[in-house]
Amino acid sequence: MSSFSGIHLALQALLTQQHGLEVTSHNVANSGTEGYHRQEAIFRAGPPQGAPGLASATFAGQVGTGVFVDNVKRYSSELTDMRYRRELADTRQYEVQSEYLLQVEGAMAETGEDGLSAILDSFWNGWSYVSTHPDDTTRRTNLLEDAKNLTRGLSGRVERLNDLRRDQNMAIIQRVDEINEIAAQVARLNIEIGRFSGPNTSPNDFLDEQDLYLDRLSEIAGVKVSHENTGQVMVSIGGHVLVHGPTAHVINYSPEPTNFNLVDMEWEDGQPLFLQSGELAGLIEGRDVVVNEQIESLNNLATTLITEVNALHQQGFGLNDTATYDPTLPPPNDIIGPQREFFTTTPPIFDPLNPALSITVNSELDDVNNIALSQTVVLPDPLPGVLTPGLPIAPGDASIADEIFRIKDNALTFGSPPNTVTDTISHYNNMRVTNLALDVNRAETLSNQHDNLLQVLKEKRESVSGVNLDEEAAHMLQYERSYQAAVRLMTTVDEMLDRIINNMGLVGR
Amino acid sequence: MRITHRLQTDNSIQNMRKSLEKLYELQIKAASGKKYRRASENPAKVSDTMSMNSSLRILETYSEAIHTTKEWMEMTDFALTRISDDITRAKSLTLDGLDDGSLNARDGIVAEIDGIIEQVVEMANTKDVGRYVFGGFLTKTTPFEFVPGGSVSPVGASTTVTIPSSNPANPDLTIDYPVDSVIFNGDDNIIERDISGGETIQVSVNGGEAFSDGTGGQVFDPAVKDMYATLIRIRDVLAEEDYLKPHVSSNLYATPPGPPAIEVAVPFDDPNLDPALLPAGLPDPSQPVDRALLEEAYVQLQEVHEIVLEKQNGNGSRLRLLETALERATTQTLELKGLISRNEDVDFAQIAAEIGHQELIYQTTISVSGRVSAKMSLFDALA
């Protein structure tokens, strides 16, 4: 055993305490850093040495060699991380969805005075209003305005939904880009981590960065993560590998012609992308399911409205119309009128695939006298036996207007078989609004539920990995004291050596 | 559980955020006065409210329709009342004519009945906001039109009067004379209207049915209940001379063959005429009116009056029905408004209390948070 081993031991202690203090300062410095996991220098006693001596048998067997830093431990709980990320993916899915659906709900503004329900009522009321004075131009103009307001209400809603859907599409594209970018970063980190990790070295700060990326990936796409011993990770989405070792697989997107040219996603190897949770799943469900349901309901409503109103309106006559009597036809077809449509159904103005978007009032009715309210023709008595054109109509009759006004009370059929619904038009509309409200409500509730759980898990995570300043202060004190003690030790050994070197052998001098 | 400072900070931020959010929501509720801003806040309630709002709007439409209808029916009632009064007056004038056959008295009566005829035509052409109320569906066409005798053929062209001869050697005199008439240009339709879901009410009284036995333009006939024809008949019988004029003139000045010269008619009681030249069997103008004809017309007038009264009663009871419907609509509107208000309006007292409570919570939260973020760790305790 060397005479200087004491100094060496004290030096080792000084260095070790210094290292410990460095880790503590790293912790304190990063106590507010996102994704930082607290670290701790784990000390280990040095390997003991057998003390060789002349009479070793009577000596104590071994002598310690002081303290070393064994490794710097990074506090993290893989299990909590896993659960946290799963909840994070669910929370974000419903959060994004509810934000988006709230936008849809806001854009539709159905509960207010501009709601489709109110617009529809005004439209029906217009018919009642005109029926009390069918020959009054002001009332006819009023009806025309109500009808135009209705067509604008329907097409405006579809336009707004289409706009929202396009915004949603942009958000989806942006998320996919982000996934690809992060996947590349995770693959890069895998290489770095692989290079640094060893039995006693842990690339702690790379692991923090990796955790942050994995959190974000979970948020976006609900990824599955499996850790390898090296600290590298394998990441997959819906059963397909995203990152494995140094390789990141890219997700491609392209406009899908069958889905209004909104983007569709697939893996670079051509496999479809399955998403179970995360922002992307929420965005896609909002874009492809909820908005589509709304548009489809509006289309069904428009189609039924057009059919019902036109069927009655075509039987009527405008104020300046005349009828033709054809004795060769059986009644009531023997009286032939102009058969004007109320809502245009001829392309290109009308698009049968997008009825709610393209619904318009027949432009012939801009001359409000052409609105057909009467179905009574003044017939000659007796009826002539020949084709007689130019028969005048009775302007006081408003039976067409009355009939159209009554459409609101009738149970009508919406949609095409087999998915048909039979209800009154205002109930059908209410159902559409309520369905959206329930969707929003459900998304909000689920997002809140998952968020509550997420908060608990976040606390748990923070509880394991977070920096507690009291602990750090205590550690700091401890390192300081140990450091001071080691300095004192070194001084003591030095004094001992001083005695040996300078004062020994001077006896009797 | 191991608590870190960051956890404390995060939590207090979260708590402040949630507390402020609640306060904000309460403030919005108080400011808007509505319990819900969006349907998704309570889909079931909001759906109910939407349905009720829709019912309310429809109800307002019905009320509006009832008001307009009421105006129309009140115009109809006014016209029918006036016509009925006129007929009553005509009846009493007819009785006067029967009592006092003197020419002078009859002249006055004839003039008044002439005025009545003009007035009933005017009343039967009553309009509501520019629309004729008695014309059926033909609301733009004047329904009743006075046609002077002989000017329109065949409508009201002529009637036949037989004057019995007092001299058995001479045959009875049969003469055609043109009569005035009133024609009906409307149709036989009746306007109806919805006054509440599924309840339809008859709005118009058909003028043809009420005043001219459906078709109009008739000459007097006991089988035809035409008010105008009856009044004209009474006038003509009382003004006996008028239908005798052509007869007299043709017999005096026209030499057969040839049509009677109507245009040169001379009153047969003209004092300048030589009574010797008058044909035998003519009624004596100083004699009372032809009572049989007048009585026949009087009976007819009573029947015609009954028809008008019946129409007036019908219209009146429908008006009362309308008023009931209006009252019902008003009650329903109030009830619905109450229900809607209960569904969506906030209780201000409750909101005020809740806001006070929430403010207290918020204040507590921020003061606690302030203390948490204040320097509180071992570092601060170290000398």
Side-chain angles (χ1 to χ4, degrees):
Chain A
M1 209 176 169
S2 155
S3 304
F4 297 102
S5 68
I7 287 188
H8 179 73
L9 193 142
L11 175 65
Q12 189 61 40
L14 283 179
L15 292 175
T16 306
Q17 302 308 327
Q18 237 170 31
H19 196 159
L21 198 62
E22 269 161 21
V23 173
T24 296
S25 16
H26 192 45
N27 279 341
V28 172
N30 283 301
S31 68
T33 307
E34 180 70 39
Y36 182 76
H37 289 61
R38 84 178 148 116
Q39 300 177 7
E40 192 182 340
I42 304 293
F43 294 171
R44 181 173 61 81
Q49 283 182 354
L54 293 172
S56 61
T58 56
F59 258 137
Q62 290 180 321
V63 172
T65 52
V67 68
F68 298 89
V69 174
D70 184 53
N71 67 328
V72 177
K73 186 179 174 187
R74 174 176 175 267
Y75 281 86
S76 76
S77 156
E78 221 174 89
L79 187 69
T80 315
D81 281 352
M82 209 174 77
R83 289 183 55 202
Y84 173 78
R85 287 187 189 128
R86 204 167 53 217
E87 279 313 315
L88 184 65
D90 285 341
T91 307
R92 286 302 294 162
Q93 175 184 357
Y94 294 114
E95 231 170 57
V96 159
Q97 206 178 359
S98 75
E99 276 165 23
Y100 172 60
L101 291 183
L102 273 176
Q103 273 186 51
V104 175
E105 199 180 28
M108 310 286 267
E110 294 294 10
T111 49
E113 287 302 306
D114 308 325
L116 194 58
S117 165
I119 297 177
L120 266 171
D121 288 341
S122 298
F123 174 68
W124 301 128
N125 293 351
W127 290 100
S128 165
Y129 188 58
V130 80
S131 84
T132 55
H133 289 287
D135 45 20
D136 181 22
T137 314
T138 320
R139 289 180 185 233
R140 283 173 173 258
T141 311
N142 183 63
L143 169 65
L144 185 71
E145 281 313 309
D146 282 339
K148 286 188 170 170
N149 212 9
L150 174 62
T151 60
R152 277 193 295 265
L154 281 166
S155 56
R157 274 174 172 71
V158 177
E159 269 166 28
R160 269 173 275 166
L161 286 169
N162 279 340
D163 282 350
L164 282 168
R165 189 152 68 173
R166 273 191 290 274
D167 291 350
Q168 193 81 340
N169 200 44
M170 290 301 294
I172 289 172
I173 291 174
Q174 183 251 322
R175 294 298 196 288
V176 175
D177 287 343
E178 201 178 341
I179 293 179
N180 287 335
E181 204 173 294
I182 295 179
Q185 294 293 332
V186 173
R188 177 186 61 82
L189 276 174
N190 269 349
I191 300 173
E192 301 276 357
I193 290 166
R195 193 179 299 152
F196 276 94
S197 55
N200 286 330
T201 54
S202 165
N204 287 340
D205 297 314
F206 282 142
L207 289 175
D208 282 353
E209 197 183 347
Q210 185 187 59
D211 263 353
L212 274 179
Y213 283 137
L214 293 177
D215 284 355
R216 180 63 188 144
L217 275 180
S218 304
E219 229 176 358
I220 303 176
V223 295
K224 253 202 155 73
V225 179
S226 41
H227 290 265
E228 288 162 23
N229 290 336
T230 50
Q232 292 180 325
V233 283
M234 191 179 90
V235 185
S236 61
I237 302 174
H240 193 288
V241 175
L242 177 68
V243 183
H244 185 213
T247 323
H249 296 274
V250 177
I251 301 171
N252 293 324
Y253 49 83
S254 55
E256 172 60 49
T258 59
N259 191 20
F260 308 98
N261 280 329
L262 302 170
V263 294
D264 193 28
M265 284 138 289
E266 59 177 29
W267 292 95
E268 56 185 356
D269 57 11
Q271 301 227 37
L273 175 70
F274 291 113
L275 291 158
Q276 275 130 6
S277 58
E279 291 175 1
L280 209 46
L283 287 169
I284 290 172
E285 195 190 335
R287 184 193 75 176
D288 290 351
V289 180
V290 180
V291 172
N292 272 2
E293 275 172 9
Q294 286 292 310
I295 293 181
E296 200 183 300
S297 284
L298 288 170
N299 279 341
N300 290 342
L301 194 146
T303 307
T304 304
L305 186 77
I306 292 170
T307 316
E308 294 289 327
V309 173
N310 278 358
L312 287 166
H313 192 261
Q314 283 174 321
Q315 294 172 18
F317 302 89
L319 276 182
N320 301 333
D321 286 331
T322 55
T324 303
Y325 172 71
D326 184 351
T328 58
L329 298 170
N333 301 333
D334 52 350
I335 295 164
I336 302 152
Q339 303 195 336
R340 283 194 198 91
E341 292 180 328
F342 191 80
F343 296 113
T344 307
T345 60
T346 45
I349 299 171
F350 182 72
D351 172 7
L353 293 175
N354 294 306
L357 186 65
S358 58
I359 184 172
T360 45
V361 177
N362 186 351
S363 58
E364 283 180 78
L365 304 185
D366 284 341
D367 175 1
V368 291
N369 288 328
N370 284 338
I371 299 177
L373 305 175
S374 167
Q375 60 175 346
T376 305
V377 172
V378 182
L379 290 173
D381 188 21
L383 286 170
V386 290
L387 193 73
T388 317
L391 297 171
I393 65 116
D397 179 21
S399 44
I400 294 287
D402 286 337
E403 291 284 331
I404 292 179
F405 180 57
R406 279 189 210 112
I407 292 178
K408 70 177 175 19
D409 301 322
N410 298 345
L412 307 172
T413 305
F414 297 91
S416 45
N419 302 317
T420 58
V421 178
T422 304
D423 212 332
T424 65
I425 207 159
S426 89
H427 279 166
Y428 186 73
N429 183 51
N430 273 9
M431 205 163 71
R432 174 182 66 83
V433 176
T434 312
N435 279 347
L436 177 63
L438 286 171
D439 281 338
V440 177
N441 199 271
R442 183 182 63 105
E444 278 185 327
T445 311
L446 284 173
S447 131
N448 282 339
Q449 277 172 5
H450 286 290
D451 192 47
N452 286 340
L453 202 53
L454 185 70
Q455 290 311 320
V456 173
L457 288 167
K458 196 176 172 188
E459 279 175 15
K460 197 157 179 192
R461 216 184 182 204
E462 176 66 22
S463 169
V464 172
S465 315
V467 176
N468 180 322
L469 291 175
D470 298 338
E471 283 176 6
E472 301 308 326
H475 281 150
M476 188 183 80
L477 285 181
Q478 183 196 326
Y479 295 140
E480 193 186 358
R481 293 285 175 221
S482 299
Y483 188 89
Q484 286 168 351
V487 170
R488 178 57 49 98
L489 181 71
M490 193 178 267
T491 319
T492 309
V493 173
D494 185 46
E495 273 177 22
M496 281 165 64
L497 286 177
D498 178 54
R499 203 59 44 206
I500 293 170
I501 294 165
N502 294 326
N503 295 337
M504 234 163 63
L506 298 179
V507 68
R509 195 179 282 188
Chain B
M1 189 173 168
R2 182 173 170 270
I3 303 296
T4 68
H5 290 88
R6 186 175 165 143
L7 194 61
Q8 268 185 316
T9 316
D10 281 359
N11 259 343
S12 59
I13 290 173
Q14 186 91 340
N15 287 339
M16 285 189 287
R17 191 174 63 82
K18 278 189 179 161
S19 190
L20 190 61
E21 200 177 292
K22 266 190 193 153
L23 194 60
Y24 174 72
E25 267 168 24
L26 284 172
Q27 281 165 344
I28 290 273
K29 274 184 191 177
S32 67
K34 299 271 178 254
K35 278 185 195 156
Y36 317 107
R37 271 180 304 151
R38 299 176 279 110
S40 53
E41 287 174 37
N42 192 334
K45 272 260 165 68
V46 175
S47 166
D48 278 359
T49 312
M50 271 176 72
S51 295
M52 284 193 284
N53 269 325
S54 184
S55 305
L56 193 64
R57 284 190 287 265
I58 298 291
L59 212 56
E60 273 162 13
T61 306
Y62 280 127
S63 300
E64 155 78 26
I66 291 174
H67 275 297
T68 326
T69 310
K70 217 173 139 224
E71 273 169 39
W72 172 289
M73 288 173 71
E74 276 164 359
M75 287 308 284
T76 310
D77 185 62
F78 176 72
L80 286 172
T81 312
R82 288 287 298 275
I83 289 171
S84 167
D85 288 352
D86 283 342
I87 296 176
T88 312
R89 178 68 189 144
K91 270 157 80 179
S92 99
L93 286 172
T94 314
L95 290 179
D96 288 353
L98 278 170
D99 283 350
D100 181 1
S102 72
L103 264 180
N104 275 347
R106 276 171 20 206
D107 273 351
I109 295 171
V110 165
E112 200 172 340
I113 292 189
D114 214 29
I116 286 177
I117 292 170
E118 208 172 288
Q119 194 161 305
V120 290
V121 171
E122 196 189 308
M123 277 295 123
N125 287 336
T126 294
K127 288 196 246 183
D128 175 47
V129 203
R131 305 170 68 212
Y132 292 102
V133 298
F134 289 113
F137 282 169
L138 302 179
T139 50
K140 286 287 185 202
T141 318
T142 314
F144 293 99
E145 210 178 312
F146 185 83
V147 180
S151 66
V152 172
S153 182
V155 171
S158 66
T159 191
T160 310
V161 175
T162 306
I163 298 163
S165 170
S166 53
N167 184 351
N170 289 335
D172 292 349
L173 274 170
T174 304
I175 53 168
D176 283 349
Y177 81 104
V179 239
D180 299 337
S181 60
V182 173
I183 55 170
F184 178 52
N185 295 321
D187 62 14
D188 57 359
N189 285 307
I190 285 167
I191 296 174
E192 293 187 330
R193 189 156 300 143
D194 276 3
I195 53 164
S196 70
E199 194 183 343
T200 312
I201 197 170
Q202 175 186 337
V203 173
S204 73
V205 168
N206 188 275
E209 225 175 88
F211 310 131
S212 45
D213 203 40
T215 51
Q218 322 247 15
V219 291
F220 181 78
D221 180 339
V224 175
K225 310 275 182 270
D226 188 322
M227 176 182 72
Y228 304 107
T230 311
L231 287 170
I232 289 167
R233 171 68 161 200
I234 289 171
R235 184 196 65 185
D236 287 355
V237 171
L238 285 166
E240 214 172 27
E241 53 181 316
D242 291 341
Y243 69 84
L244 288 171
K245 276 177 202 166
H247 170 70
V248 170
S249 55
S250 65
N251 275 279
L252 279 182
Y253 305 111
T255 315
I262 298 164
E263 60 283 359
V264 292
V266 175
F268 80 107
D269 52 347
D270 189 336
N272 296 324
L273 281 175
D274 181 358
L277 287 174
L278 289 172
L282 275 177
D284 183 344
S286 62
Q287 288 303 302
V289 73
D290 186 335
R291 293 186 68 91
L293 285 180
L294 203 55
E295 271 163 14
E296 184 190 45
Y298 181 76
V299 171
Q300 184 74 332
L301 190 60
Q302 270 178 325
E303 284 176 24
V304 169
H305 195 191
E306 258 160 42
I307 295 175
V308 172
L309 283 176
E310 189 189 301
K311 297 289 175 197
Q312 193 192 354
N313 277 340
N315 190 56
S317 58
R318 285 192 295 273
L319 253 173
R320 278 191 292 284
L321 212 67
L322 211 58
E323 263 153 24
T324 320
L326 190 61
E327 227 164 76
R328 204 170 51 215
T330 315
T331 319
Q332 275 179 346
T333 306
L334 282 176
E335 268 173 21
L336 269 176
K337 279 185 176 163
L339 283 174
I340 290 169
S341 162
R342 208 165 62 196
N343 246 1
E344 63 172 21
D345 289 350
V346 295
D347 178 345
F348 281 103
Q350 192 188 339
I351 271 286
E354 278 177 30
I355 287 182
H357 183 62
Q358 192 56 42
E359 271 170 1
L360 189 69
I361 294 178
Y362 183 59
Q363 271 166 6
T364 316
T365 314
I366 47 180
S367 81
V368 168
S369 302
R371 229 170 286 165
V372 165
S373 10
K375 287 180 178 172
M376 224 175 66
S377 77
L378 186 54
F379 282 106
D380 306 306
L382 294 177

